[in-house]
Each structure stands twice: as C-alpha cells, then as structure tokens.
Amino acid sequence: MKLVEPPSCSSLSTIVFIGRNRRGQWVAQEQHGLYGGLFVSRAQAIKYALFENGRHPETIVELPREIELDMARSPTPDISHRAA
C-alpha cells in the first residue's frame, strides 16, 4: 500500500500559480505560499498542483512571466510585531 500525503488545500478558491523560473525550471506555488515545488516539466507541475488543490484545474493559473519559488513567505500575517 502506497501512503500519500493529503492535499494541503481545503478551499476551492485557492489559486496555484505555475510558470518557469529564470533557470527554466517549472514552479508551482500556492498563492499564499502554503505549498509549492520545482519541477522538470510543465506536466509534473500541473500534476502536483492538481493533487494539492483537490483536483480543481480551474484554480491553476499559468503565468507568462518568470516566477520564483518562495518558501520563506509566511502563509499568515505575523501579528507578534504589530503596534498596540
């Protein structure tokens, strides 16, 4: 039996951007930085995006410009540094 991680996405409105980075690798990244990855082909980037977003192709957006994978981005605002 093959174990598979459950999709990271729980909302149908989650957008996944795909495109190439400056090195020509394919990038898939959820709009808020919840998940993402680098891929050798467009097909693999789309397959990953579909798995993560619960099989909703309508929420995948292919960008005509370069996209860089940003895994340092915080998916939620950091409220610990807000002024009172």
Side-chain angles (χ1 to χ4, degrees):
M1 183 165 119
K2 184 178 177 183
L3 296 177
V4 180
E5 280 188 36
S8 301
C9 167
S10 62
S11 169
L12 296 178
S13 63
T14 300
I15 304 296
V16 181
F17 298 113
I18 67 166
R20 289 184 180 257
N21 65 14
R22 64 178 159 248
R23 292 170 300 287
Q25 299 163 311
W26 283 91
V27 174
Q29 176 119 33
E30 191 271 337
Q31 66 182 345
H32 301 296
L34 294 175
Y35 56 83
L38 293 174
F39 304 90
V40 296
S41 71
R42 179 180 180 270
Q44 288 299 311
I46 291 173
K47 182 178 178 181
Y48 170 80
L50 286 169
F51 174 77
E52 289 292 342
N53 76 7
R55 303 266 179 244
H56 295 282
E58 67 278 6
T59 65
I60 299 173
V61 176
E62 187 169 347
L63 299 175
R65 60 174 172 76
E66 287 183 350
I67 178 176
E68 294 297 329
L69 182 62
D70 182 5
M71 296 307 291
R73 185 173 19 169
S74 176
T76 57
D78 182 5
I79 60 171
S80 62
H81 297 344
R82 285 189 182 172

